[in-house]
Amino acid sequence: MSWALVPAAGSGRRYGADIPKQYLLAAGKPLIEHALDVLLSHAVIEGVVVALAADDPHWPGWSTMHGKPVVTCIGGGERADSVLAALRALPTGVATDAIVLVHDAARPNLHADDISRLHAAALAHVDGAILAAPVRDTLKRADAESNISMTEPRDGIWRALTPQAFRRELLRRALETARADGVVVTDDAQAVERLGLHPRLVEGREDNLKVTTPADLALAEFLLASRFLRKDA
Ligand code: CTP
Ligand code: MG
């Protein structure tokens, strides 16, 4: 059995709403509730640790969901600090070689099948595994004036998604090393890569979007509303 870690201590600066984006509603529920709901309804997930901003007035106070524990802790200044805080808040009974899945609170459209395939890959690969999607657009390198300086080859380029899954002790070592080196990593795999390791890419659904801007929320609303209409959640 595995635990999920959900960093939810961000302020949503790029979104620019009055409240942190993880609490914005889509299809009638806060984004974070969609994320927790999918994680905790999955059979491989035993519980979650959610990293919250200090004195977060928006957190609804869940302590269980689907009959499984929801533990909270205080996050940090960067996403990686929040993930590390969540790791440290795991119950003591969670084994050092247990798989933990890190998933952004602002990614509401996760599907159970992606969790299953990621979890299986993380069990099979000692360096862990992440959900990711191949880049489809043509990539341009810009110069200082926003003119194109060149077209970048897109072969073998993937977008990193979440969840990302690693053995508990490996993730702790990776994040603590990045912090000690003063490097701000933007996802968990980057911290593991810095140790010279090579997590597996698991092709995930392209509609597992992270809400960053209002346009993303409109898309999330569309995806979630049609998903629940189909009842194939
Ligand atoms: N996060 C966190 N602690 C931080 C920063 C981010 O737990 N110090 C969480 C966010 O709440 C979000 C996830 O990490 O669920 C992904 O981060 P991002 O999309 O960058 O969210 P924000 O940092 O809130 O947004 P912005 O960068 O626009 O301020
Ligand atoms: Mg951020």
Side-chain angles (χ1 to χ4, degrees), residues 81-148:
D81 301 321
S82 297
V83 175
L84 197 48
L87 259 181
R88 289 173 176 158
L90 278 169
T92 46
V94 179
T96 53
D97 65 349
I99 305 286
V100 293
L101 286 82
V102 186
H103 182 63
D104 293 328
R107 272 185 207 275
N109 195 37
L110 177 62
H111 281 69
D113 178 58
D114 271 6
I115 298 177
S116 303
R117 291 184 310 108
L118 175 72
H119 189 259
L123 283 172
H125 296 274
V126 285
D127 297 355
I130 76 168
L131 288 180
V135 168
R136 311 274 183 212
D137 295 325
T138 299
L139 300 177
K140 302 298 184 187
R141 168 81 51 193
D143 66 16
E145 282 86 44
S146 293
N147 297 318
I148 296 172

Side-chain angles (χ1 to χ4, degrees), residues 15-16 19 24 43 50 74 76 86 102 126 144 165 169 172 177 182 199 205 214 218:
Y15 194 100
I19 61 172
L24 295 171
V50 185
I74 305 294
V102 186
V126 285
E169 175 58 20
R172 184 199 64 74
T177 303
R205 294 176 61 116

